[in-house]
Amino acid sequence: MNEREDYFRISKNGNVHTLSDRIPFNWKELLIWTSTSFIFLIWFLGIGIGIFVAILTLIGYTIYRFASWIYYSELKIDEKSGKLIRLKKILDRTQKNGIDK
């Protein structure tokens, strides 16, 4: 079982369900969103201010999406033992392991 969503991924490996909030870094989405942002901001704010605000928007959105791709958390639910494990990860490496029950 692997369901694809935009902001959450749900997968199952044996009796362990995993919920991940890692947002994939998609260049196509980044280009579409920022190019439409450029067009609308230039149209509404004028050439000079529009380009300045559009560049700031591009930089901010790129940093946000890149950071959300690098730093994310996973929630693992074990059906057999009933354990709930929350993992904070940076680039697929576990940084903090919190166990709740």
Side-chain angles (χ1 to χ4, degrees):
M1 177 173 123
N2 192 359
E3 297 181 20
R4 183 177 173 344
E5 294 290 330
D6 286 340
Y7 296 102
F8 293 104
R9 299 226 189 286
I10 302 168
S11 60
K12 182 178 180 181
N13 187 5
N15 59 349
V16 178
H17 296 271
T18 304
L19 175 67
S20 175
D21 68 350
R22 186 177 198 180
I23 300 174
F25 196 72
N26 189 352
W27 285 103
K28 189 187 308 183
E29 177 184 321
L30 186 68
L31 290 174
I32 291 171
W33 194 87
T34 55
S35 62
T36 56
S37 171
F38 264 81
I39 292 168
F40 285 116
L41 286 171
I42 290 171
W43 186 32
F44 286 124
L45 299 176
I47 297 275
I49 296 174
I51 289 176
F52 178 71
V53 172
I55 289 172
L56 289 178
T57 303
L58 170 70
I59 292 169
Y61 186 68
T62 304
I63 290 171
Y64 163 73
R65 289 305 297 260
F66 192 65
S68 66
W69 176 69
I70 291 175
Y71 183 73
Y72 64 100
S73 62
E74 284 184 351
L75 185 65
K76 293 187 181 269
I77 304 166
D78 191 350
E79 288 179 350
K80 275 191 173 177
S81 66
K83 287 187 178 180
L84 181 68
I85 302 169
R86 183 171 181 220
L87 305 171
K88 297 221 179 220
K89 294 189 166 192
I90 296 177
L91 288 176
D92 293 329
R93 289 189 230 173
T94 302
Q95 297 298 315
K96 186 175 179 184
N97 186 358
I99 300 174
D100 302 325
K101 187 163 181 169

